[in-house]
Amino acid sequence: MRGPHDLGGLPAGSVDLSEHEHGFWEKRIDGIRLLLADKQRRLISVDEMRRGIEALGKEAYDKLNYYERWTASVTGVMLEKGVITADELGRKIAEIEERDKARFEDD
Amino acid sequence: MSEHTHDHGHDHDHPHPNQPDIDSEPMGYYQLMGSALGELLIEKGVITADELRAAIENVDSRSPEGGAKVVAKAWTDPEYKARLLENGTAAVDELGIDMPATHLVVVENTDKVHNVIVCTLCSCYPRMLLGLPPDWYKAHAYRSRVVREPRAVLKEFGTELADDVEIRVHDSTADMRYLVLPRRPDGTEGMSEEELVELVSRDCMIGVTLPRSS
């Protein structure tokens, strides 16, 4: 069966040539992946990264944008390997969300 | 990357190491996840904040200029071109571009053959030479169609090739990346290597356009 990532030869619309400046969050996950993959750490290989993306399932694959898929995959592999735990991740996300919300609660 | 500064009316001492560029909207779920991942890895000592800053700078510093220098050198130095076509990875290393764990294959355009690169399965791309891939390279339409109807796709980029030119589409893999060596434009015989670099765009090294001639 064709996975959601396997797009070669399928019908599709015209190519959207518009481009965007990469945001900091996109470069950050790229940088995190580079570090985790380097010789010193070897915590994620290209193949593990791809497996994580391909395992997202069609709905998520189509819905998430490129670096969202990367984020899901790198984070998933770090959870699998026990580098971080789901509990730590959940708490940290909540903490950062609170901090982020505080930016909009001026005065 | 500018330093994040606050001007929202209260003092606080918590660090904001991972602010997004655009501060006007709350962070989305995956931005939060990426930020949380980064902070946890730093807290656990898996990576350091300095390493992460340097890695982001590294991501930022790569641009198509690296690839353009390779192409301009190949246009002006036949021996370099021969080495480049023989072993791309080793030849770009000569110019200080390290492509660890990937094999670079350089494909040469001629008056009979035009090469185009794609990664139908994901977005494999010679980032060390071209910088971060453009959105369209990663998107469904290009990945789906360029292997089936390359002429139609090239036309959308404004590129029309003569009917007798064979188009070869190369599908990249995680371990093998391609770079198109475009044809040196006619009328550039008197130009220096530095001037030639200016003619070589990212898109002509992907093969969706042709190099400028002036």
Side-chain angles (χ1 to χ4, degrees), chain A residues 77-97:
Chain A
V77 172
M78 290 308 106
L79 287 167
E80 267 178 28
K81 296 195 172 182
V83 176
I84 59 172
T85 68
D87 194 42
E88 290 167 337
L89 182 67
R91 267 188 277 126
K92 184 59 90 178
I93 287 175
E95 180 194 318
I96 296 172
E97 194 170 19

Side-chain angles (χ1 to χ4, degrees), chain B:
Chain B
M1 201 97 28
S2 62
E3 282 293 319
H4 181 79
T5 54
H6 294 277
D7 188 18
H8 53 112
H10 64 100
D11 289 321
H12 52 191
D13 56 10
H14 53 255
H16 283 213
N18 291 323
Q19 286 294 327
D21 271 343
I22 298 161
D23 279 340
S24 55
E25 285 176 40
M27 291 164 78
Y29 182 69
Y30 287 91
Q31 292 185 35
L32 288 169
M33 187 188 286
S35 186
L37 176 66
E39 289 194 21
L40 285 172
L41 292 171
I42 290 167
E43 282 171 20
K44 288 169 172 288
V46 178
I47 62 176
T48 68
D50 280 344
E51 284 175 326
L52 182 53
R53 265 193 292 278
I56 293 167
E57 270 172 33
N58 182 7
V59 170
D60 245 349
S61 69
R62 294 189 210 137
S63 78
E65 204 190 336
K69 284 181 177 162
V70 170
V71 168
K73 185 161 177 65
W75 282 348
T76 53
D77 180 345
E79 286 176 14
Y80 182 74
K81 178 175 150 183
R83 294 199 296 281
L84 184 67
L85 295 173
E86 173 73 26
N87 182 340
T89 316
V92 302
D93 190 49
E94 287 180 38
L95 300 190
I97 299 166
D98 182 23
M99 297 188 68
T102 45
H103 184 50
L104 177 70
V105 176
V106 178
V107 285
E108 184 186 13
N109 286 350
T110 66
D111 55 356
K112 294 281 178 284
V113 176
H114 180 89
N115 297 282
V116 183
I117 61 176
V118 65
C119 175
T120 62
L121 293 173
C122 45
S123 58
C124 298
Y125 185 79
R127 295 155 47 116
M128 309 301 277
L129 292 160
L130 300 184
L132 296 176
D135 292 345
W136 54 260
Y137 187 85
K138 303 181 286 193
H140 288 204
Y142 182 76
R143 288 163 52 194
S144 302
R145 289 177 50 225
V146 76
V147 290
R148 177 164 292 202
E149 42 176 2
R151 258 174 222 281
V153 171
L154 290 191
K155 210 168 171 181
E156 291 172 29
F157 285 88
T159 305
E160 293 196 54
L161 300 170
D163 288 340
D164 65 345
V165 174
E166 177 192 340
I167 300 182
R168 292 184 190 157
V169 182
H170 303 270
D171 199 353
S172 314
T173 70
D175 309 307
M176 187 180 291
R177 311 289 159 103
Y178 292 93
L179 182 78
V180 174
L181 175 59
R183 281 181 75 199
R184 181 170 173 166
D186 295 335
T188 60
E189 292 74 15
M191 290 175 78
S192 68
E193 197 176 318
E194 290 70 30
E195 289 169 323
L196 290 169
V197 168
E198 301 297 317
L199 306 180
V200 185
S201 67
R202 176 196 70 197
D203 289 358
C204 78
M205 293 182 277
I206 303 173
V208 293
T209 63
L210 302 174
R212 292 179 289 273
S213 55
S214 61

